Tab-separated table of all heavy atoms in Angstrom:
chain	number	residue	atom	x	y	z
A	1	GLY	N	84.446	92.150	122.042
A	1	GLY	CA	85.072	92.642	123.209
A	1	GLY	C	84.053	93.018	124.260
A	1	GLY	O	82.854	92.828	124.061
A	2	TRP	N	84.479	93.481	125.418
A	2	TRP	CA	83.590	93.922	126.453
A	2	TRP	C	84.224	94.988	127.255
A	2	TRP	O	85.423	95.207	127.207
A	2	TRP	CB	83.272	92.748	127.379
A	2	TRP	CG	84.437	92.084	128.029
A	2	TRP	CD1	85.189	91.081	127.509
A	2	TRP	CD2	84.976	92.380	129.311
A	2	TRP	NE1	86.209	90.715	128.330
A	2	TRP	CE2	86.100	91.507	129.496
A	2	TRP	CE3	84.693	93.316	130.311
A	2	TRP	CZ2	86.895	91.590	130.623
A	2	TRP	CZ3	85.500	93.320	131.472
A	2	TRP	CH2	86.568	92.469	131.601
A	3	GLY	N	83.377	95.747	127.998
A	3	GLY	CA	83.870	96.820	128.849
A	3	GLY	C	83.944	98.176	128.108
A	3	GLY	O	83.573	98.241	126.934
A	4	VAL	N	84.484	99.161	128.809
A	4	VAL	CA	84.523	100.540	128.266
A	4	VAL	C	85.633	100.638	127.224
A	4	VAL	O	86.852	100.419	127.602
A	4	VAL	CB	84.710	101.554	129.337
A	4	VAL	CG1	84.852	102.947	128.788
A	4	VAL	CG2	83.542	101.511	130.315
A	5	ALA	N	85.362	100.947	125.994
A	5	ALA	CA	86.347	100.951	124.890
A	5	ALA	C	87.409	101.946	125.209
A	5	ALA	O	88.613	101.731	124.928
A	5	ALA	CB	85.656	101.265	123.590
A	6	GLY	N	87.057	103.159	125.715
A	6	GLY	CA	87.988	104.214	125.928
A	6	GLY	C	89.044	103.934	127.008
A	6	GLY	O	89.987	104.677	127.243
A	7	GLN	N	88.849	102.836	127.785
A	7	GLN	CA	89.819	102.437	128.765
A	7	GLN	C	90.828	101.403	128.315
A	7	GLN	O	91.674	100.963	129.021
A	7	GLN	CB	89.053	101.869	129.946
A	7	GLN	CG	88.206	102.888	130.716
A	7	GLN	CD	87.351	102.322	131.838
A	7	GLN	OE1	87.366	101.112	132.073
A	7	GLN	NE2	86.691	103.178	132.546
A	8	LEU	N	90.746	101.138	126.924
A	8	LEU	CA	91.694	100.166	126.384
A	8	LEU	C	92.601	100.865	125.356
A	8	LEU	O	92.186	101.794	124.667
A	8	LEU	CB	90.932	99.051	125.615
A	8	LEU	CG	90.171	98.112	126.531
A	8	LEU	CD1	89.401	97.101	125.670
A	8	LEU	CD2	91.061	97.330	127.426
A	9	PRO	N	93.917	100.463	125.287
A	9	PRO	CA	94.794	101.043	124.275
A	9	PRO	C	94.425	100.466	122.884
A	9	PRO	O	93.798	99.444	122.745
A	9	PRO	CB	96.136	100.522	124.707
A	9	PRO	CG	95.876	99.251	125.475
A	9	PRO	CD	94.570	99.451	126.142
A	10	TRP	N	94.928	101.237	121.897
A	10	TRP	CA	94.549	100.859	120.487
A	10	TRP	C	95.030	99.475	120.113
A	10	TRP	O	94.393	98.730	119.402
A	10	TRP	CB	95.108	101.929	119.498
A	10	TRP	CG	94.762	101.549	118.121
A	10	TRP	CD1	95.670	101.236	117.123
A	10	TRP	CD2	93.481	101.397	117.517
A	10	TRP	NE1	95.024	100.911	115.948
A	10	TRP	CE2	93.645	100.971	116.165
A	10	TRP	CE3	92.177	101.501	117.987
A	10	TRP	CZ2	92.600	100.714	115.320
A	10	TRP	CZ3	91.130	101.244	117.122
A	10	TRP	CH2	91.338	100.875	115.803
A	11	ASP	N	96.209	99.065	120.623
A	11	ASP	CA	96.750	97.750	120.221
A	11	ASP	C	95.838	96.598	120.677
A	11	ASP	O	95.894	95.493	120.141
A	11	ASP	CB	98.236	97.545	120.626
A	11	ASP	CG	98.406	97.505	122.166
A	11	ASP	OD1	97.426	97.788	122.899
A	11	ASP	OD2	99.527	97.198	122.627
A	12	LYS	N	95.005	96.850	121.690
A	12	LYS	CA	94.048	95.843	122.148
A	12	LYS	C	92.748	95.972	121.336
A	12	LYS	O	92.144	94.980	120.860
A	12	LYS	CB	93.741	96.000	123.603
A	12	LYS	CG	94.870	95.754	124.538
A	12	LYS	CD	95.054	94.270	124.738
A	12	LYS	CE	96.069	93.970	125.861
A	12	LYS	NZ	97.446	94.351	125.517
A	13	LEU	N	92.332	97.185	121.028
A	13	LEU	CA	91.068	97.448	120.354
A	13	LEU	C	91.166	96.950	118.880
A	13	LEU	O	90.220	96.403	118.375
A	13	LEU	CB	90.727	98.922	120.335
A	13	LEU	CG	90.364	99.537	121.667
A	13	LEU	CD1	90.374	101.039	121.616
A	13	LEU	CD2	88.974	99.053	122.096
A	14	VAL	N	92.330	97.074	118.296
A	14	VAL	CA	92.475	96.656	116.851
A	14	VAL	C	92.340	95.188	116.661
A	14	VAL	O	92.067	94.702	115.551
A	14	VAL	CB	93.734	97.224	116.263
A	14	VAL	CG1	94.976	96.486	116.734
A	14	VAL	CG2	93.701	97.284	114.784
A	15	GLN	N	92.534	94.416	117.745
A	15	GLN	CA	92.428	92.967	117.594
A	15	GLN	C	90.962	92.444	117.635
A	15	GLN	O	90.766	91.301	117.326
A	15	GLN	CB	93.214	92.338	118.779
A	15	GLN	CG	94.720	92.582	118.646
A	15	GLN	CD	95.469	92.031	119.897
A	15	GLN	OE1	95.133	90.951	120.348
A	15	GLN	NE2	96.379	92.784	120.442
A	16	LEU	N	90.078	93.307	118.023
A	16	LEU	CA	88.659	92.865	118.174
A	16	LEU	C	87.985	92.590	116.851
A	16	LEU	O	88.307	93.244	115.825
A	16	LEU	CB	87.900	93.889	118.979
A	16	LEU	CG	88.377	94.122	120.394
A	16	LEU	CD1	87.576	95.275	121.069
A	16	LEU	CD2	88.274	92.865	121.264
A	17	ASP	N	87.035	91.784	116.848
A	17	ASP	CA	86.165	91.534	115.658
A	17	ASP	C	84.911	92.337	115.819
A	17	ASP	O	84.108	92.190	116.766
A	17	ASP	CB	85.756	89.994	115.668
A	17	ASP	CG	84.932	89.582	114.467
A	17	ASP	OD1	84.261	90.488	113.940
A	17	ASP	OD2	84.960	88.433	114.063
A	18	ALA	N	84.754	93.298	114.880
A	18	ALA	CA	83.614	94.211	114.921
A	18	ALA	C	82.592	93.861	113.841
A	18	ALA	O	81.679	94.720	113.535
A	18	ALA	CB	84.112	95.659	114.745
A	19	GLY	N	82.669	92.666	113.285
A	19	GLY	CA	81.699	92.347	112.197
A	19	GLY	C	80.907	91.099	112.391
A	19	GLY	O	79.770	91.037	111.946
A	20	SER	N	81.455	90.076	113.093
A	20	SER	CA	80.805	88.820	113.176
A	20	SER	C	79.460	88.863	113.944
A	20	SER	O	78.517	88.080	113.705
A	20	SER	CB	81.673	87.735	113.825
A	20	SER	OG	82.097	88.109	115.107
A	21	TRP	N	79.279	89.836	114.880
A	21	TRP	CA	78.003	90.010	115.555
A	21	TRP	C	76.890	90.281	114.552
A	21	TRP	O	75.729	89.928	114.825
A	21	TRP	CB	78.070	91.173	116.565
A	21	TRP	CG	78.230	92.511	115.942
A	21	TRP	CD1	79.367	93.135	115.565
A	21	TRP	CD2	77.169	93.410	115.552
A	21	TRP	NE1	79.123	94.384	114.997
A	21	TRP	CE2	77.782	94.548	114.979
A	21	TRP	CE3	75.790	93.396	115.660
A	21	TRP	CZ2	77.053	95.629	114.488
A	21	TRP	CZ3	75.050	94.468	115.184
A	21	TRP	CH2	75.716	95.567	114.598
A	22	PHE	N	77.229	90.881	113.436
A	22	PHE	CA	76.206	91.271	112.452
A	22	PHE	C	75.916	90.126	111.479
A	22	PHE	O	74.738	89.873	111.115
A	22	PHE	CB	76.725	92.471	111.619
A	22	PHE	CG	75.724	93.064	110.680
A	22	PHE	CD1	74.841	94.029	111.176
A	22	PHE	CD2	75.597	92.578	109.424
A	22	PHE	CE1	73.903	94.576	110.297
A	22	PHE	CE2	74.634	93.105	108.552
A	22	PHE	CZ	73.787	94.103	109.010
A	23	GLY	N	76.952	89.330	111.121
A	23	GLY	CA	76.781	88.246	110.216
A	23	GLY	C	78.131	87.646	109.774
A	23	GLY	O	79.086	88.370	109.812
A	24	LYS	N	78.087	86.376	109.372
A	24	LYS	CA	79.318	85.656	109.027
A	24	LYS	C	80.097	86.317	107.890
A	24	LYS	O	81.320	86.221	107.846
A	24	LYS	CB	79.006	84.197	108.706
A	24	LYS	CG	78.726	83.367	109.952
A	24	LYS	CD	78.804	81.864	109.583
A	24	LYS	CE	80.206	81.366	109.276
A	24	LYS	NZ	81.155	81.508	110.377
A	25	THR	N	79.360	86.932	107.017
A	25	THR	CA	80.020	87.667	105.878
A	25	THR	C	81.052	88.658	106.360
A	25	THR	O	82.015	88.954	105.602
A	25	THR	CB	78.945	88.361	105.025
A	25	THR	OG1	77.778	87.558	104.873
A	25	THR	CG2	79.470	88.718	103.706
A	26	PHE	N	80.833	89.161	107.561
A	26	PHE	CA	81.673	90.248	108.064
A	26	PHE	C	82.672	89.810	109.141
A	26	PHE	O	83.222	90.686	109.861
A	26	PHE	CB	80.825	91.384	108.526
A	26	PHE	CG	79.913	92.022	107.518
A	26	PHE	CD1	78.546	91.643	107.414
A	26	PHE	CD2	80.412	92.925	106.561
A	26	PHE	CE1	77.756	92.162	106.434
A	26	PHE	CE2	79.593	93.486	105.645
A	26	PHE	CZ	78.277	93.078	105.532
A	27	ASP	N	82.865	88.475	109.250
A	27	ASP	CA	83.838	87.990	110.216
A	27	ASP	C	85.228	88.650	110.064
A	27	ASP	O	85.713	88.831	108.945
A	27	ASP	CB	84.050	86.469	109.992
A	27	ASP	CG	82.976	85.628	110.636
A	27	ASP	OD1	82.030	86.225	111.220
A	27	ASP	OD2	83.045	84.388	110.555
A	28	GLY	N	85.758	89.107	111.173
A	28	GLY	CA	87.152	89.664	111.111
A	28	GLY	C	87.194	91.127	110.816
A	28	GLY	O	88.267	91.708	110.770
A	29	GLU	N	86.015	91.780	110.609
A	29	GLU	CA	85.981	93.226	110.333
A	29	GLU	C	86.513	93.929	111.613
A	29	GLU	O	86.102	93.575	112.724
A	29	GLU	CB	84.565	93.653	110.006
A	29	GLU	CG	84.433	95.057	109.547
A	29	GLU	CD	85.089	95.277	108.139
A	29	GLU	OE1	85.224	94.321	107.336
A	29	GLU	OE2	85.518	96.483	107.904
A	30	ARG	N	87.375	94.922	111.424
A	30	ARG	CA	88.036	95.586	112.564
A	30	ARG	C	87.376	96.948	112.837
A	30	ARG	O	86.765	97.538	111.966
A	30	ARG	CB	89.488	95.787	112.300
A	30	ARG	CG	90.255	94.521	111.987
A	30	ARG	CD	90.263	93.584	113.225
A	30	ARG	NE	90.835	92.300	112.907
A	30	ARG	CZ	90.698	91.181	113.644
A	30	ARG	NH1	89.898	91.187	114.711
A	30	ARG	NH2	91.311	90.036	113.287
A	31	LEU	N	87.623	97.432	114.039
A	31	LEU	CA	87.312	98.853	114.352
A	31	LEU	C	88.214	99.684	113.551
A	31	LEU	O	89.455	99.509	113.624
A	31	LEU	CB	87.496	99.096	115.825
A	31	LEU	CG	86.604	98.320	116.841
A	31	LEU	CD1	87.160	98.529	118.263
A	31	LEU	CD2	85.193	98.790	116.771
A	32	PRO	N	87.710	100.648	112.772
A	32	PRO	CA	88.656	101.493	112.000
A	32	PRO	C	89.102	102.742	112.702
A	32	PRO	O	88.405	103.340	113.533
A	32	PRO	CB	87.733	101.849	110.766
A	32	PRO	CG	86.342	101.803	111.275
A	32	PRO	CD	86.308	100.895	112.454
A	33	LEU	N	90.263	103.173	112.375
A	33	LEU	CA	90.771	104.521	112.769
A	33	LEU	C	90.114	105.569	111.936
A	33	LEU	O	89.828	105.431	110.756
A	33	LEU	CB	92.301	104.597	112.605
A	33	LEU	CG	93.127	103.712	113.588
A	33	LEU	CD1	94.563	103.632	113.101
A	33	LEU	CD2	93.030	104.265	114.984
A	34	LEU	N	90.081	106.761	112.495
A	34	LEU	CA	89.545	107.926	111.714
A	34	LEU	C	90.411	108.170	110.442
A	34	LEU	O	89.837	108.512	109.452
A	34	LEU	CB	89.534	109.168	112.611
A	34	LEU	CG	88.889	110.413	112.011
A	34	LEU	CD1	87.377	110.203	111.806
A	34	LEU	CD2	89.161	111.657	112.848
A	35	ALA	N	91.688	107.972	110.552
A	35	ALA	CA	92.554	108.170	109.392
A	35	ALA	C	92.169	107.219	108.238
A	35	ALA	O	92.160	107.557	107.056
A	35	ALA	CB	93.978	107.982	109.769
A	36	GLN	N	91.825	105.955	108.608
A	36	GLN	CA	91.374	104.998	107.554
A	36	GLN	C	90.113	105.409	106.900
A	36	GLN	O	89.850	105.252	105.720
A	36	GLN	CB	91.200	103.592	108.179
A	36	GLN	CG	92.560	103.018	108.655
A	36	GLN	CD	92.294	101.676	109.413
A	36	GLN	OE1	91.611	101.655	110.495
A	36	GLN	NE2	92.784	100.576	108.843
A	37	VAL	N	89.208	105.967	107.730
A	37	VAL	CA	87.877	106.412	107.232
A	37	VAL	C	88.066	107.624	106.289
A	37	VAL	O	87.410	107.727	105.260
A	37	VAL	CB	86.938	106.760	108.432
A	37	VAL	CG1	85.643	107.356	107.926
A	37	VAL	CG2	86.666	105.483	109.237
A	38	ALA	N	88.984	108.523	106.666
A	38	ALA	CA	89.236	109.689	105.772
A	38	ALA	C	89.731	109.160	104.437
A	38	ALA	O	89.338	109.676	103.366
A	38	ALA	CB	90.289	110.572	106.425
């Protein structure tokens, strides 16, 4: 994604890929909610 994250609603943020920038093994990894982390 691009731009300021806090200016986007969660339904847009959850669609982003937060893993592939690091490596192919992590393709499709999502931004997690605090509740999921707990």
Side-chain angles (χ1 to χ4, degrees):
W2 57 274
V4 177
Q7 293 176 355
L8 291 175
W10 178 245
D11 65 353
K12 294 282 190 290
L13 291 166
V14 74
Q15 294 175 42
L16 298 175
D17 181 333
S20 59
W21 67 273
F22 187 90
K24 283 195 70 62
T25 318
F26 299 99
D27 278 3
E29 190 68 26
R30 302 297 175 198
L31 297 168
L33 289 168
L34 187 66
Q36 294 174 297
V37 174

